[in-house]
Amino acid sequence: MTKQNASIQGFDPRRLQRIDDVIARNYVETGALPGALTMVWRRGELVWRSASGVLDLGRGLPLREDSIFRLYSMTKPVTAAAMMVLWDRGLWSADDSIAKHLPEFAGVSVLGGGAPAHPPTLRELMTHTAGLGYGFD
């Protein structure tokens, strides 16, 4: 476990340790995740990082801070981070209709051609409850 610059950046290292404790207790030790690598950045500087659990279940190899592993479906967290930057700037509200920002969604219909009960909102889009399918069903 490596702790870097936490107190320099205004973080209490003991409080950051709670991140590791929660991840270990609730996810790694219960088997929900084989391992977890966590990092906290502030003002462009790495202030905390740690690894817990294993990289390879079959061989029991421990997860290390320099482990290489494949990440899937990164569009969701990247999009969420970008949306939060825009939200911080006051450029959208969760209750805005999707069509307010993406005019192509105006007049959207549900499967079978009818109108939805209400225009889908950004809240519903961000929580995956807007009723959109993947198009392969």
Side-chain angles (χ1 to χ4, degrees), residues 16-126:
L16 289 171
Q17 179 63 48
R18 292 169 54 188
I19 297 169
D20 295 345
D21 297 342
V22 168
I23 288 173
R25 182 177 55 251
N26 296 338
Y27 298 96
V28 176
E29 292 170 10
T30 65
L33 291 174
L37 177 61
T38 58
M39 295 182 180
V40 175
W41 290 76
R42 185 174 205 186
R43 298 184 186 114
E45 189 170 342
L46 180 63
V47 297
W48 181 269
R49 69 177 173 206
S50 70
S52 60
V54 296
L55 176 66
D56 184 319
L57 286 172
R59 295 185 289 170
L61 297 175
L63 183 64
R64 300 182 344 208
E65 292 173 4
D66 64 350
S67 293
I68 298 173
F69 47 94
R70 188 175 297 207
L71 298 176
Y72 292 93
S73 193
M74 290 305 297
T75 55
K76 290 177 184 75
V78 169
T79 300
M83 288 296 287
M84 293 316 298
V85 168
L86 296 173
W87 183 81
D88 280 344
R89 294 178 183 171
L91 298 175
W92 67 276
S93 167
D95 295 321
D96 288 348
S97 72
I98 300 170
K100 177 178 178 182
H101 303 279
L102 296 171
E104 296 82 1
F105 275 83
V108 70
S109 62
V110 297
L111 186 62
H118 66 273
T121 65
L122 289 176
R123 177 188 318 275
E124 292 166 330
L125 187 62
M126 297 299 290

